[in-house]
Amino acid sequence: KARALMQAIDPGADPQRAFDGRTPAAAAVAKGAEETPEEGPPLVTAMLDAAAESSGGRTALVHGDQRIGWAELRERADRLASGLGSLGLAPGDPVALVLPNVPDFATAFFAIARMGAIVVPLNPQFKRAELEFHFREAGVRAVVTDEATLESCRSIVSGWDDSVRLLCAGRGSGGVVSLEALIADHSPATVDRSSPDAPAVFQYSSGSTGRPKRVPRTHRNLRLEADSIVATERLTPDDLTLCVSDGSDDATVTRRF
């Protein structure tokens, strides 16, 4: 009845778009998400591969005066994936990302996805108790953070029975393994150990009515969402997108061009 009423008021209206919030282009994308020769399987890392192979020299990230191209981003992520594997991390292991909007967030995100582990993006402004809750609830096996949050993260995991690897963005600090060292010391990963329907990200609800609840997102979920954003917003390789919120709010900063 609601659809009929809407069309009676506006005969040209699209009921599908009104009720599911998608443009026709985005709805068409949602019916797909299967492997194509050009774009590969519905994996987060396949988006990175496609961009690196078709537009490797184009800028992927801008951070202050820093510019990182798609090919460079993929190489750094793949080197870090090898480095994380050398530390004993395995597919299915949750890895917390406690980082602000910096290039290392994107590098670590793709590296974790490449090795089949699970990204747990957390707000770097969380208080110690909030971080500890999410670390324990997700069962994290490693934490990637920066100097600003390093000591807080260290104090949380130092007393745990199970060993949790602590990694620091940039060149590291306080005797903790640095991302730059792992990237410099390892060759790029050559095998993608992820799977379309395996969890790629553990996100959490806001907790406004209780404790935050885990929301697993698969590679296929994220690929569909990214494709839908590109189709709905009619994004092209010439567009620039300003990322204001941190990665814990929106894991689909991965965009496919």
Side-chain angles (χ1 to χ4, degrees), residues 80-188:
L80 182 56
S82 293
L84 295 175
S86 74
L87 298 178
L89 295 175
D93 284 345
V95 180
L97 284 188
V98 189
L99 291 172
N101 280 350
V102 293
D104 277 338
F105 182 98
T107 301
F109 185 102
F110 283 116
I112 295 166
R114 178 76 82 194
M115 63 175 298
I118 303 168
V119 178
V120 185
L122 298 174
N123 191 331
Q125 299 300 317
F126 275 166
K127 299 185 185 308
R128 185 187 186 283
E130 293 172 303
L131 286 174
E132 182 169 8
F133 166 78
H134 287 88
F135 287 0
R136 290 188 180 277
E137 202 288 329
V140 299
R141 304 299 303 162
V143 176
V144 180
T145 187
D146 60 8
E147 293 185 19
T149 320
L150 177 60
E151 291 309 318
S152 180
C153 293
R154 194 204 304 266
S155 68
I156 293 171
V157 303
S158 61
W160 289 13
D161 292 335
D162 293 332
S163 177
V164 176
R165 301 304 300 245
L166 196 59
L167 309 170
C168 191
R171 301 193 178 281
S173 176
V176 175
V177 175
S178 75
L179 297 191
E180 283 302 321
L182 290 177
I183 291 170
D185 295 343
H186 291 84
S187 300

Side-chain angles (χ1 to χ4, degrees), residues 38-39 43-61 68-71 73 110 223 225-242 252-257:
E38 298 81 9
E39 299 164 4
L43 299 171
V44 169
T45 45
M47 295 188 287
L48 176 61
D49 290 337
E53 290 165 11
S54 66
S55 308
R58 295 180 70 105
T59 300
L61 298 172
I68 298 178
W70 286 107
L73 177 59
F110 283 116
R223 177 66 177 269
E225 189 168 330
D227 286 352
S228 181
I229 290 171
V230 171
T232 301
E233 300 299 331
R234 297 179 175 86
L235 296 175
T236 74
D238 294 324
D239 291 324
L240 300 177
T241 300
L242 175 65
T252 55
V253 291
T254 53
R255 300 192 344 251
R256 179 176 61 84
F257 290 143

Side-chain angles (χ1 to χ4, degrees), residues 212-224:
K213 295 177 178 57
R214 186 195 308 177
V215 182
R217 313 277 306 284
T218 67
H219 282 261
R220 193 185 302 273
N221 291 154
L222 298 185
R223 177 66 177 269
L224 274 168

Side-chain angles (χ1 to χ4, degrees), residues 16-23 232:
Q16 181 68 24
R17 179 174 181 178
F19 281 88
D20 68 12
R22 297 179 300 192
T23 63
T232 301

